Amino acid sequence: MKSTKNKIPVLTGRNFQDKYFYPANSRTAPRRFEIYRREDEEYRCLPVVTANRLDFYMVVLVTGGEGIKTFGTKEYYIRKGMLCFIPPGMVTNWESIVDDHQGYIMTFDEHMLPNLNTYPFFQVGGCPVISLNEEQQHYFHHYFQEIEKEYQSNELELISAFLTIILKKTQQLYTATEPIAGSNAAIRLTAAFTALIDKDFEQKLSTYAGLLNVTQNHLNDTVKAVTGKTPGTHIHERIIKEAAQLLVHTQLTIAEICYRLNFSDQSYFIRFFKRYTGLTPRQFRLHTPGKIFQLF
């Protein structure tokens, strides 16, 4: 008898849900087509998903969160504004870098649409990750939302039509050039840096470089190449996220939040916050209580 100890599991239906998501008691049985919100409590993705293969197709739109996804033998730094495509049989795994993730996961079988395997992003050797600009993100987000609406009524014909639009539009955007510059080592360094600032965002860039045993210039060049943003921008965005959480979830005054975040000048903090969000801290607090907010 052959040993199955070292075989990569093939996931189907419920096995997929158990492998990818935190345990939940109120899930319904998977259907031919499924769409999940990544921020839904019932379908929050586990921080680590070990190597597996799917027996169906998967499309993911990332609107928030960061992590490392391996497709075959290549690692990709996954972040907001990316579309990911996984065909049946491809070996993948996942490693989350931050706690909060937003977006959509769609799963469907080969009978959903004809000739799925002819799309380049579903082929072996194709590029499974597409980077979107802001206009493209809005375009695709709209169609994922439309699919989510039709999913509630199980309108498979309309879902198929919207899914076709998504795949055809992606094919127009597709190039064989990978959207993420850098080697696996660069992606790992960027992930380690992101994890550090997610836990402690109050250090100088030189401190993070020292903790990662690289020069400050190397860290700056690597992070910018992989993510398109400088380390300084990542730190600023992390500060904004912390400020936003304090504004929404506490009764601290603006001055107290400013002090907690080590701003010596409250007026500068207000300008800094507005530069990234378009709102003053007071306006943000008034507009977002009880709402889900998403930054960057």
Side-chain angles (χ1 to χ4, degrees):
M1 179 181 294
K2 292 183 179 180
S3 171
T4 59
K5 180 178 180 181
N6 296 317
K7 285 189 175 180
I8 296 172
V10 177
L11 305 182
T12 64
R14 181 67 74 184
N15 289 339
F16 158 74
Q17 292 185 352
D18 292 340
K19 179 82 171 179
Y20 269 70
F21 305 126
Y22 282 98
N25 296 322
S26 56
R27 294 191 191 126
T28 57
R31 293 181 279 180
R32 173 181 167 188
F33 174 91
E34 293 284 350
I35 184 166
Y36 311 98
R37 273 185 182 257
R38 300 177 79 210
E39 59 266 42
D40 188 335
E41 282 297 314
E42 294 293 316
Y43 297 101
R44 289 187 304 122
C45 195
L46 289 164
V48 175
V49 179
T50 55
N52 65 88
R53 305 176 196 264
L54 305 178
D55 77 340
F56 48 81
Y57 288 86
M58 179 189 289
V59 179
V60 180
L61 174 66
V62 182
T63 61
E66 299 175 43
I68 298 173
K69 183 78 172 176
T70 301
F71 299 80
T73 60
K74 295 182 180 179
E75 288 184 339
Y76 291 82
Y77 192 92
I78 304 301
R79 61 187 187 276
K80 179 184 176 181
M82 289 185 169
L83 270 172
C84 305
F85 299 86
I86 304 174
M90 174 181 279
V91 177
T92 66
N93 60 37
W94 164 254
E95 181 182 335
S96 179
I97 295 171
V98 299
D99 293 332
D100 297 323
H101 298 270
Q102 296 88 39
Y104 293 93
I105 297 173
M106 290 193 299
T107 62
F108 46 92
D109 63 26
E110 61 186 7
H111 303 296
M112 190 69 187
L113 291 173
N115 304 316
L116 283 168
N117 61 350
T118 63
Y119 288 101
F121 38 81
F122 279 141
Q123 295 177 3
V124 175
C127 184
V129 180
I130 308 296
S131 291
L132 307 172
N133 62 33
E134 189 168 346
E135 181 181 350
Q136 292 162 350
Q137 290 175 45
H138 288 302
Y139 177 90
F140 283 100
H141 197 188
H142 166 73
Y143 283 106
F144 275 81
Q145 288 177 317
E146 290 300 314
I147 288 175
E148 185 181 34
K149 291 177 186 176
E150 301 305 332
Y151 172 77
Q152 306 303 325
S153 304
N154 199 30
E155 294 286 349
L156 285 180
E157 187 173 345
L158 284 172
I159 290 172
S160 296
F162 289 131
L163 180 56
T164 299
I165 291 172
I166 289 171
L167 299 181
K168 293 291 187 183
K169 185 64 175 180
T170 303
Q171 189 169 29
Q172 290 180 357
L173 301 175
Y174 180 84
T175 67
T177 303
E178 294 189 12
I180 306 157
S183 63
N184 286 0
I187 292 172
R188 287 283 164 181
L189 176 60
T190 301
F193 167 72
T194 305
L196 281 177
I197 64 170
D198 197 49
K199 293 178 180 177
D200 181 3
F201 53 85
E202 297 180 355
Q203 303 300 321
K204 295 180 179 178
L205 184 59
S206 58
T207 301
Y208 295 118
L211 290 170
L212 296 168
N213 296 314
V214 296
T215 66
Q216 189 170 323
N217 285 342
H218 179 65
L219 180 61
N220 187 77
D221 293 344
T222 300
V223 172
K224 187 173 182 180
V226 172
T227 69
K229 300 176 184 177
T230 66
T233 300
H234 282 278
I235 293 170
H236 289 168
E237 289 181 354
R238 180 64 183 83
I239 292 170
I240 292 296
K241 287 179 181 178
E242 184 67 19
Q245 292 180 82
L246 292 173
L247 287 165
V248 172
H249 298 298
T250 76
Q251 298 300 314
L252 293 171
T253 65
I254 306 300
E256 288 170 331
I257 292 173
C258 174
Y259 176 77
R260 284 202 176 194
L261 297 177
N262 294 322
F263 284 84
S264 57
D265 184 335
Q266 184 174 329
S267 61
Y268 173 70
F269 167 67
I270 292 172
R271 293 196 303 273
F272 177 82
F273 189 89
K274 187 173 182 179
R275 187 195 318 159
Y276 282 92
T277 66
L279 300 170
T280 66
R282 182 175 180 275
Q283 289 170 333
F284 187 88
R285 173 171 270 169
L286 290 173
H287 282 81
T288 58
K291 299 178 182 178
I292 296 174
F293 60 89
Q294 182 180 321
L295 300 169
F296 319 116

